[in-house]
Amino acid sequence: APSKLINVGIIGCGRISSTMEMPGLFKLTDMARIVAVCDLDSKRLAFAKQRVETEYKKRLKTDAYTVKAFGDYHEMLADKGVDAVMVCTPAHWHALCAVECAIAGKDIWVQKPFSQTIHEGRILAEVVRQKGVILQVGSQQRSSKQFRTGCELVRNGRLGQIKRVEVG
């Protein structure tokens, strides 16, 4: 229902997750809340758990907000309290984690690239279709003004012949 909160689990608690994805979700406390975090690195996991709990305690003005922490994403996917999952792992894990999220019946938001090969992408698309879950790929940055302007300059030859591009 539109009034129901979406309970989100996050797989991968590294730089992208902590600097971009978590802060974005913190702004949506009336629509979605992080209820679980998962990472293989126990220090990252503990940091993410504490960060999310501290942020929601402040935003929700409560003394009690508990986030579940998992070292294995399969355990998180088995949790019925998680409605949707953000896949914020290194790129070579995106497709596998997203496929397993779909099989578990979880809606998915996955960092780009969503797969490493066309074959992986087709498998993911088919499983998402079969399971009837929602999949969104985090490619929103590509729509930002500075990226569009850069692409226009290159396409129109305004920068000359491009010999090398570095992105960081």
Side-chain angles (χ1 to χ4, degrees), residues 88-120:
C88 301
T89 60
H92 63 279
W93 285 101
H94 290 177
L96 178 62
C97 290
V99 164
E100 293 195 62
C101 289
I103 289 169
K106 311 294 184 188
D107 292 325
I108 310 150
W109 184 94
V110 62
Q111 272 287 342
K112 63 185 175 303
F114 66 90
S115 70
Q116 296 286 293
T117 66
I118 293 170
H119 182 68
E120 278 182 355

PDB file of all heavy atoms in Angstrom, residues 88-120:
ATOM      1  N   CYS A  88      25.032  -3.005  -3.282  1.00  0.00           N
ATOM      2  CA  CYS A  88      26.120  -2.023  -3.342  1.00  0.00           C
ATOM      3  C   CYS A  88      27.473  -2.707  -3.193  1.00  0.00           C
ATOM      4  O   CYS A  88      28.378  -2.205  -2.536  1.00  0.00           O
ATOM      5  CB  CYS A  88      25.937  -0.979  -2.243  1.00  0.00           C
ATOM      6  SG  CYS A  88      24.386  -0.080  -2.324  1.00  0.00           S
ATOM      7  N   THR A  89      27.599  -3.857  -3.788  1.00  0.00           N
ATOM      8  CA  THR A  89      28.817  -4.659  -3.738  1.00  0.00           C
ATOM      9  C   THR A  89      29.769  -4.221  -4.852  1.00  0.00           C
ATOM     10  O   THR A  89      29.381  -3.430  -5.716  1.00  0.00           O
ATOM     11  CB  THR A  89      28.464  -6.138  -3.956  1.00  0.00           C
ATOM     12  OG1 THR A  89      27.840  -6.259  -5.238  1.00  0.00           O
ATOM     13  CG2 THR A  89      27.535  -6.664  -2.882  1.00  0.00           C
ATOM     14  N   PRO A  90      30.987  -4.769  -4.880  1.00  0.00           N
ATOM     15  CA  PRO A  90      31.827  -4.543  -6.059  1.00  0.00           C
ATOM     16  C   PRO A  90      31.103  -5.047  -7.318  1.00  0.00           C
ATOM     17  O   PRO A  90      30.285  -5.971  -7.251  1.00  0.00           O
ATOM     18  CB  PRO A  90      33.077  -5.378  -5.765  1.00  0.00           C
ATOM     19  CG  PRO A  90      33.146  -5.405  -4.264  1.00  0.00           C
ATOM     20  CD  PRO A  90      31.707  -5.489  -3.822  1.00  0.00           C
ATOM     21  N   ALA A  91      31.403  -4.434  -8.458  1.00  0.00           N
ATOM     22  CA  ALA A  91      30.663  -4.663  -9.703  1.00  0.00           C
ATOM     23  C   ALA A  91      30.536  -6.128 -10.104  1.00  0.00           C
ATOM     24  O   ALA A  91      29.489  -6.542 -10.600  1.00  0.00           O
ATOM     25  CB  ALA A  91      31.293  -3.865 -10.841  1.00  0.00           C
ATOM     26  N   HIS A  92      31.556  -6.930  -9.881  1.00  0.00           N
ATOM     27  CA  HIS A  92      31.482  -8.322 -10.341  1.00  0.00           C
ATOM     28  C   HIS A  92      30.491  -9.171  -9.541  1.00  0.00           C
ATOM     29  O   HIS A  92      30.193 -10.288  -9.934  1.00  0.00           O
ATOM     30  CB  HIS A  92      32.877  -8.965 -10.347  1.00  0.00           C
ATOM     31  CG  HIS A  92      33.528  -9.072  -9.014  1.00  0.00           C
ATOM     32  ND1 HIS A  92      34.177  -8.008  -8.418  1.00  0.00           N
ATOM     33  CD2 HIS A  92      33.627 -10.111  -8.159  1.00  0.00           C
ATOM     34  CE1 HIS A  92      34.659  -8.389  -7.252  1.00  0.00           C
ATOM     35  NE2 HIS A  92      34.337  -9.656  -7.066  1.00  0.00           N
ATOM     36  N   TRP A  93      29.951  -8.648  -8.448  1.00  0.00           N
ATOM     37  CA  TRP A  93      28.938  -9.351  -7.654  1.00  0.00           C
ATOM     38  C   TRP A  93      27.519  -8.876  -7.943  1.00  0.00           C
ATOM     39  O   TRP A  93      26.548  -9.472  -7.465  1.00  0.00           O
ATOM     40  CB  TRP A  93      29.217  -9.175  -6.159  1.00  0.00           C
ATOM     41  CG  TRP A  93      30.354 -10.001  -5.673  1.00  0.00           C
ATOM     42  CD1 TRP A  93      31.634  -9.586  -5.434  1.00  0.00           C
ATOM     43  CD2 TRP A  93      30.323 -11.394  -5.353  1.00  0.00           C
ATOM     44  NE1 TRP A  93      32.393 -10.631  -4.997  1.00  0.00           N
ATOM     45  CE2 TRP A  93      31.619 -11.758  -4.939  1.00  0.00           C
ATOM     46  CE3 TRP A  93      29.327 -12.371  -5.404  1.00  0.00           C
ATOM     47  CZ2 TRP A  93      31.940 -13.059  -4.567  1.00  0.00           C
ATOM     48  CZ3 TRP A  93      29.660 -13.657  -5.031  1.00  0.00           C
ATOM     49  CH2 TRP A  93      30.948 -13.991  -4.622  1.00  0.00           C
ATOM     50  N   HIS A  94      27.357  -7.801  -8.680  1.00  0.00           N
ATOM     51  CA  HIS A  94      26.024  -7.207  -8.876  1.00  0.00           C
ATOM     52  C   HIS A  94      24.998  -8.200  -9.414  1.00  0.00           C
ATOM     53  O   HIS A  94      23.915  -8.349  -8.842  1.00  0.00           O
ATOM     54  CB  HIS A  94      26.100  -5.999  -9.806  1.00  0.00           C
ATOM     55  CG  HIS A  94      26.777  -4.818  -9.204  1.00  0.00           C
ATOM     56  ND1 HIS A  94      26.996  -3.659  -9.907  1.00  0.00           N
ATOM     57  CD2 HIS A  94      27.290  -4.602  -7.973  1.00  0.00           C
ATOM     58  CE1 HIS A  94      27.609  -2.794  -9.142  1.00  0.00           C
ATOM     59  NE2 HIS A  94      27.809  -3.340  -7.956  1.00  0.00           N
ATOM     60  N   ALA A  95      25.298  -8.853 -10.515  1.00  0.00           N
ATOM     61  CA  ALA A  95      24.313  -9.731 -11.163  1.00  0.00           C
ATOM     62  C   ALA A  95      23.935 -10.906 -10.269  1.00  0.00           C
ATOM     63  O   ALA A  95      22.746 -11.204 -10.103  1.00  0.00           O
ATOM     64  CB  ALA A  95      24.834 -10.228 -12.506  1.00  0.00           C
ATOM     65  N   LEU A  96      24.912 -11.568  -9.689  1.00  0.00           N
ATOM     66  CA  LEU A  96      24.614 -12.723  -8.834  1.00  0.00           C
ATOM     67  C   LEU A  96      23.747 -12.320  -7.649  1.00  0.00           C
ATOM     68  O   LEU A  96      22.727 -12.966  -7.368  1.00  0.00           O
ATOM     69  CB  LEU A  96      25.906 -13.389  -8.338  1.00  0.00           C
ATOM     70  CG  LEU A  96      25.685 -14.580  -7.393  1.00  0.00           C
ATOM     71  CD1 LEU A  96      24.921 -15.701  -8.087  1.00  0.00           C
ATOM     72  CD2 LEU A  96      27.021 -15.077  -6.854  1.00  0.00           C
ATOM     73  N   CYS A  97      24.130 -11.264  -6.954  1.00  0.00           N
ATOM     74  CA  CYS A  97      23.323 -10.823  -5.803  1.00  0.00           C
ATOM     75  C   CYS A  97      21.918 -10.431  -6.237  1.00  0.00           C
ATOM     76  O   CYS A  97      20.937 -10.783  -5.576  1.00  0.00           O
ATOM     77  CB  CYS A  97      24.005  -9.650  -5.097  1.00  0.00           C
ATOM     78  SG  CYS A  97      25.504 -10.081  -4.209  1.00  0.00           S
ATOM     79  N   ALA A  98      21.806  -9.715  -7.352  1.00  0.00           N
ATOM     80  CA  ALA A  98      20.486  -9.286  -7.822  1.00  0.00           C
ATOM     81  C   ALA A  98      19.619 -10.481  -8.213  1.00  0.00           C
ATOM     82  O   ALA A  98      18.419 -10.512  -7.901  1.00  0.00           O
ATOM     83  CB  ALA A  98      20.632  -8.316  -8.990  1.00  0.00           C
ATOM     84  N   VAL A  99      20.193 -11.472  -8.874  1.00  0.00           N
ATOM     85  CA  VAL A  99      19.433 -12.681  -9.223  1.00  0.00           C
ATOM     86  C   VAL A  99      18.933 -13.357  -7.953  1.00  0.00           C
ATOM     87  O   VAL A  99      17.763 -13.754  -7.863  1.00  0.00           O
ATOM     88  CB  VAL A  99      20.301 -13.654 -10.071  1.00  0.00           C
ATOM     89  CG1 VAL A  99      19.677 -15.044 -10.113  1.00  0.00           C
ATOM     90  CG2 VAL A  99      20.483 -13.113 -11.474  1.00  0.00           C
ATOM     91  N   GLU A 100      19.791 -13.482  -6.957  1.00  0.00           N
ATOM     92  CA  GLU A 100      19.377 -14.143  -5.726  1.00  0.00           C
ATOM     93  C   GLU A 100      18.340 -13.320  -4.960  1.00  0.00           C
ATOM     94  O   GLU A 100      17.448 -13.888  -4.322  1.00  0.00           O
ATOM     95  CB  GLU A 100      20.598 -14.469  -4.876  1.00  0.00           C
ATOM     96  CG  GLU A 100      21.453 -15.520  -5.582  1.00  0.00           C
ATOM     97  CD  GLU A 100      22.471 -16.165  -4.690  1.00  0.00           C
ATOM     98  OE1 GLU A 100      22.069 -16.818  -3.708  1.00  0.00           O
ATOM     99  OE2 GLU A 100      23.670 -16.015  -4.980  1.00  0.00           O
ATOM    100  N   CYS A 101      18.414 -11.992  -5.052  1.00  0.00           N
ATOM    101  CA  CYS A 101      17.368 -11.151  -4.461  1.00  0.00           C
ATOM    102  C   CYS A 101      16.029 -11.424  -5.140  1.00  0.00           C
ATOM    103  O   CYS A 101      14.998 -11.561  -4.467  1.00  0.00           O
ATOM    104  CB  CYS A 101      17.719  -9.671  -4.609  1.00  0.00           C
ATOM    105  SG  CYS A 101      19.081  -9.088  -3.593  1.00  0.00           S
ATOM    106  N   ALA A 102      16.043 -11.490  -6.461  1.00  0.00           N
ATOM    107  CA  ALA A 102      14.807 -11.754  -7.211  1.00  0.00           C
ATOM    108  C   ALA A 102      14.240 -13.117  -6.855  1.00  0.00           C
ATOM    109  O   ALA A 102      13.024 -13.256  -6.626  1.00  0.00           O
ATOM    110  CB  ALA A 102      15.073 -11.655  -8.714  1.00  0.00           C
ATOM    111  N   ILE A 103      15.091 -14.119  -6.781  1.00  0.00           N
ATOM    112  CA  ILE A 103      14.629 -15.465  -6.418  1.00  0.00           C
ATOM    113  C   ILE A 103      13.990 -15.456  -5.032  1.00  0.00           C
ATOM    114  O   ILE A 103      12.995 -16.142  -4.797  1.00  0.00           O
ATOM    115  CB  ILE A 103      15.797 -16.475  -6.495  1.00  0.00           C
ATOM    116  CG1 ILE A 103      16.182 -16.706  -7.957  1.00  0.00           C
ATOM    117  CG2 ILE A 103      15.439 -17.797  -5.817  1.00  0.00           C
ATOM    118  CD1 ILE A 103      17.483 -17.468  -8.153  1.00  0.00           C
ATOM    119  N   ALA A 104      14.523 -14.621  -4.138  1.00  0.00           N
ATOM    120  CA  ALA A 104      13.978 -14.508  -2.779  1.00  0.00           C
ATOM    121  C   ALA A 104      12.710 -13.651  -2.737  1.00  0.00           C
ATOM    122  O   ALA A 104      12.106 -13.482  -1.677  1.00  0.00           O
ATOM    123  CB  ALA A 104      15.039 -13.932  -1.842  1.00  0.00           C
ATOM    124  N   GLY A 105      12.320 -13.078  -3.887  1.00  0.00           N
ATOM    125  CA  GLY A 105      11.094 -12.273  -3.941  1.00  0.00           C
ATOM    126  C   GLY A 105      11.277 -10.850  -3.464  1.00  0.00           C
ATOM    127  O   GLY A 105      10.297 -10.166  -3.155  1.00  0.00           O
ATOM    128  N   LYS A 106      12.500 -10.368  -3.446  1.00  0.00           N
ATOM    129  CA  LYS A 106      12.783  -8.998  -2.994  1.00  0.00           C
ATOM    130  C   LYS A 106      12.884  -8.073  -4.199  1.00  0.00           C
ATOM    131  O   LYS A 106      13.478  -8.423  -5.220  1.00  0.00           O
ATOM    132  CB  LYS A 106      14.107  -8.930  -2.226  1.00  0.00           C
ATOM    133  CG  LYS A 106      14.297  -9.960  -1.127  1.00  0.00           C
ATOM    134  CD  LYS A 106      13.330  -9.776   0.009  1.00  0.00           C
ATOM    135  CE  LYS A 106      13.642 -10.790   1.112  1.00  0.00           C
ATOM    136  NZ  LYS A 106      12.654 -10.791   2.146  1.00  0.00           N
ATOM    137  N   ASP A 107      12.320  -6.876  -4.081  1.00  0.00           N
ATOM    138  CA  ASP A 107      12.539  -5.857  -5.093  1.00  0.00           C
ATOM    139  C   ASP A 107      13.994  -5.410  -4.969  1.00  0.00           C
ATOM    140  O   ASP A 107      14.590  -5.485  -3.890  1.00  0.00           O
ATOM    141  CB  ASP A 107      11.577  -4.689  -4.906  1.00  0.00           C
ATOM    142  CG  ASP A 107      10.136  -5.086  -5.205  1.00  0.00           C
ATOM    143  OD1 ASP A 107       9.926  -5.907  -6.117  1.00  0.00           O
ATOM    144  OD2 ASP A 107       9.236  -4.573  -4.526  1.00  0.00           O
ATOM    145  N   ILE A 108      14.552  -4.915  -6.072  1.00  0.00           N
ATOM    146  CA  ILE A 108      16.000  -4.702  -6.135  1.00  0.00           C
ATOM    147  C   ILE A 108      16.347  -3.330  -6.689  1.00  0.00           C
ATOM    148  O   ILE A 108      15.793  -2.888  -7.699  1.00  0.00           O
ATOM    149  CB  ILE A 108      16.647  -5.752  -7.065  1.00  0.00           C
ATOM    150  CG1 ILE A 108      16.190  -7.161  -6.718  1.00  0.00           C
ATOM    151  CG2 ILE A 108      18.173  -5.634  -7.059  1.00  0.00           C
ATOM    152  CD1 ILE A 108      16.165  -8.093  -7.913  1.00  0.00           C
ATOM    153  N   TRP A 109      17.303  -2.699  -6.037  1.00  0.00           N
ATOM    154  CA  TRP A 109      18.005  -1.535  -6.583  1.00  0.00           C
ATOM    155  C   TRP A 109      19.456  -1.951  -6.633  1.00  0.00           C
ATOM    156  O   TRP A 109      20.026  -2.372  -5.624  1.00  0.00           O
ATOM    157  CB  TRP A 109      17.824  -0.308  -5.683  1.00  0.00           C
ATOM    158  CG  TRP A 109      18.438   0.927  -6.259  1.00  0.00           C
ATOM    159  CD1 TRP A 109      17.810   1.867  -7.026  1.00  0.00           C
ATOM    160  CD2 TRP A 109      19.799   1.347  -6.152  1.00  0.00           C
ATOM    161  NE1 TRP A 109      18.700   2.848  -7.407  1.00  0.00           N
ATOM    162  CE2 TRP A 109      19.944   2.546  -6.870  1.00  0.00           C
ATOM    163  CE3 TRP A 109      20.926   0.826  -5.531  1.00  0.00           C
ATOM    164  CZ2 TRP A 109      21.130   3.234  -6.982  1.00  0.00           C
ATOM    165  CZ3 TRP A 109      22.120   1.506  -5.631  1.00  0.00           C
ATOM    166  CH2 TRP A 109      22.214   2.696  -6.348  1.00  0.00           C
ATOM    167  N   VAL A 110      20.070  -1.867  -7.798  1.00  0.00           N
ATOM    168  CA  VAL A 110      21.446  -2.337  -7.951  1.00  0.00           C
ATOM    169  C   VAL A 110      22.302  -1.248  -8.575  1.00  0.00           C
ATOM    170  O   VAL A 110      21.859  -0.525  -9.467  1.00  0.00           O
ATOM    171  CB  VAL A 110      21.508  -3.652  -8.776  1.00  0.00           C
ATOM    172  CG1 VAL A 110      20.986  -3.463 -10.180  1.00  0.00           C
ATOM    173  CG2 VAL A 110      22.906  -4.238  -8.806  1.00  0.00           C
ATOM    174  N   GLN A 111      23.513  -1.123  -8.062  1.00  0.00           N
ATOM    175  CA  GLN A 111      24.484  -0.202  -8.628  1.00  0.00           C
ATOM    176  C   GLN A 111      24.790  -0.592 -10.071  1.00  0.00           C
ATOM    177  O   GLN A 111      24.654  -1.742 -10.457  1.00  0.00           O
ATOM    178  CB  GLN A 111      25.784  -0.282  -7.815  1.00  0.00           C
ATOM    179  CG  GLN A 111      25.846   0.641  -6.639  1.00  0.00           C
ATOM    180  CD  GLN A 111      26.030   2.092  -7.054  1.00  0.00           C
ATOM    181  OE1 GLN A 111      26.428   2.424  -8.162  1.00  0.00           O
ATOM    182  NE2 GLN A 111      25.715   2.967  -6.132  1.00  0.00           N
ATOM    183  N   LYS A 112      25.240   0.363 -10.857  1.00  0.00           N
ATOM    184  CA  LYS A 112      25.714   0.070 -12.199  1.00  0.00           C
ATOM    185  C   LYS A 112      27.135  -0.456 -12.114  1.00  0.00           C
ATOM    186  O   LYS A 112      27.835  -0.104 -11.178  1.00  0.00           O
ATOM    187  CB  LYS A 112      25.624   1.309 -13.087  1.00  0.00           C
ATOM    188  CG  LYS A 112      26.518   2.459 -12.596  1.00  0.00           C
ATOM    189  CD  LYS A 112      26.301   3.690 -13.421  1.00  0.00           C
ATOM    190  CE  LYS A 112      27.063   4.862 -12.890  1.00  0.00           C
ATOM    191  NZ  LYS A 112      26.843   5.261 -11.530  1.00  0.00           N
ATOM    192  N   PRO A 113      27.579  -1.274 -12.989  1.00  0.00           N
ATOM    193  CA  PRO A 113      26.818  -1.985 -14.001  1.00  0.00           C
ATOM    194  C   PRO A 113      26.049  -3.141 -13.363  1.00  0.00           C
ATOM    195  O   PRO A 113      26.530  -3.757 -12.412  1.00  0.00           O
ATOM    196  CB  PRO A 113      27.902  -2.530 -14.933  1.00  0.00           C
ATOM    197  CG  PRO A 113      29.070  -2.770 -14.027  1.00  0.00           C
ATOM    198  CD  PRO A 113      29.000  -1.673 -13.003  1.00  0.00           C
ATOM    199  N   PHE A 114      24.877  -3.424 -13.871  1.00  0.00           N
ATOM    200  CA  PHE A 114      24.081  -4.494 -13.252  1.00  0.00           C
ATOM    201  C   PHE A 114      24.583  -5.868 -13.632  1.00  0.00           C
ATOM    202  O   PHE A 114      24.230  -6.850 -12.996  1.00  0.00           O
ATOM    203  CB  PHE A 114      22.586  -4.341 -13.540  1.00  0.00           C
ATOM    204  CG  PHE A 114      22.203  -4.502 -14.972  1.00  0.00           C
ATOM    205  CD1 PHE A 114      21.868  -5.735 -15.492  1.00  0.00           C
ATOM    206  CD2 PHE A 114      22.155  -3.398 -15.802  1.00  0.00           C
ATOM    207  CE1 PHE A 114      21.509  -5.877 -16.805  1.00  0.00           C
ATOM    208  CE2 PHE A 114      21.793  -3.527 -17.131  1.00  0.00           C
ATOM    209  CZ  PHE A 114      21.475  -4.772 -17.635  1.00  0.00           C
ATOM    210  N   SER A 115      25.432  -5.942 -14.664  1.00  0.00           N
ATOM    211  CA  SER A 115      26.044  -7.224 -15.012  1.00  0.00           C
ATOM    212  C   SER A 115      27.380  -6.963 -15.695  1.00  0.00           C
ATOM    213  O   SER A 115      27.643  -5.861 -16.179  1.00  0.00           O
ATOM    214  CB  SER A 115      25.128  -8.043 -15.919  1.00  0.00           C
ATOM    215  OG  SER A 115      25.037  -7.465 -17.201  1.00  0.00           O
ATOM    216  N   GLN A 116      28.186  -8.000 -15.764  1.00  0.00           N
ATOM    217  CA  GLN A 116      29.488  -7.898 -16.413  1.00  0.00           C
ATOM    218  C   GLN A 116      29.438  -8.355 -17.876  1.00  0.00           C
ATOM    219  O   GLN A 116      30.331  -8.035 -18.646  1.00  0.00           O
ATOM    220  CB  GLN A 116      30.515  -8.768 -15.664  1.00  0.00           C
ATOM    221  CG  GLN A 116      30.786  -8.304 -14.247  1.00  0.00           C
ATOM    222  CD  GLN A 116      31.631  -7.043 -14.219  1.00  0.00           C
ATOM    223  OE1 GLN A 116      32.783  -7.060 -14.589  1.00  0.00           O
ATOM    224  NE2 GLN A 116      31.035  -5.942 -13.797  1.00  0.00           N
ATOM    225  N   THR A 117      28.405  -9.121 -18.210  1.00  0.00           N
ATOM    226  CA  THR A 117      28.272  -9.633 -19.575  1.00  0.00           C
ATOM    227  C   THR A 117      26.814  -9.551 -20.008  1.00  0.00           C
ATOM    228  O   THR A 117      25.908  -9.436 -19.176  1.00  0.00           O
ATOM    229  CB  THR A 117      28.713 -11.113 -19.671  1.00  0.00           C
ATOM    230  OG1 THR A 117      27.795 -11.917 -18.906  1.00  0.00           O
ATOM    231  CG2 THR A 117      30.136 -11.321 -19.160  1.00  0.00           C
ATOM    232  N   ILE A 118      26.601  -9.642 -21.309  1.00  0.00           N
ATOM    233  CA  ILE A 118      25.236  -9.671 -21.834  1.00  0.00           C
ATOM    234  C   ILE A 118      24.509 -10.903 -21.294  1.00  0.00           C
ATOM    235  O   ILE A 118      23.340 -10.822 -20.907  1.00  0.00           O
ATOM    236  CB  ILE A 118      25.248  -9.654 -23.377  1.00  0.00           C
ATOM    237  CG1 ILE A 118      25.772  -8.308 -23.860  1.00  0.00           C
ATOM    238  CG2 ILE A 118      23.869  -9.946 -23.944  1.00  0.00           C
ATOM    239  CD1 ILE A 118      26.059  -8.245 -25.357  1.00  0.00           C
ATOM    240  N   HIS A 119      25.191 -12.018 -21.235  1.00  0.00           N
ATOM    241  CA  HIS A 119      24.591 -13.264 -20.740  1.00  0.00           C
ATOM    242  C   HIS A 119      24.091 -13.094 -19.300  1.00  0.00           C
ATOM    243  O   HIS A 119      22.951 -13.469 -18.990  1.00  0.00           O
ATOM    244  CB  HIS A 119      25.601 -14.407 -20.840  1.00  0.00           C
ATOM    245  CG  HIS A 119      25.069 -15.733 -20.397  1.00  0.00           C
ATOM    246  ND1 HIS A 119      24.090 -16.420 -21.091  1.00  0.00           N
ATOM    247  CD2 HIS A 119      25.366 -16.496 -19.319  1.00  0.00           C
ATOM    248  CE1 HIS A 119      23.817 -17.543 -20.456  1.00  0.00           C
ATOM    249  NE2 HIS A 119      24.575 -17.618 -19.388  1.00  0.00           N
ATOM    250  N   GLU A 120      24.913 -12.532 -18.428  1.00  0.00           N
ATOM    251  CA  GLU A 120      24.480 -12.276 -17.041  1.00  0.00           C
ATOM    252  C   GLU A 120      23.266 -11.360 -17.019  1.00  0.00           C
ATOM    253  O   GLU A 120      22.320 -11.579 -16.257  1.00  0.00           O
ATOM    254  CB  GLU A 120      25.592 -11.585 -16.243  1.00  0.00           C
ATOM    255  CG  GLU A 120      26.652 -12.452 -15.691  1.00  0.00           C
ATOM    256  CD  GLU A 120      27.666 -11.678 -14.874  1.00  0.00           C
ATOM    257  OE1 GLU A 120      27.611 -10.430 -14.802  1.00  0.00           O
ATOM    258  OE2 GLU A 120      28.524 -12.333 -14.269  1.00  0.00           O
TER     259      GLU A 120
END
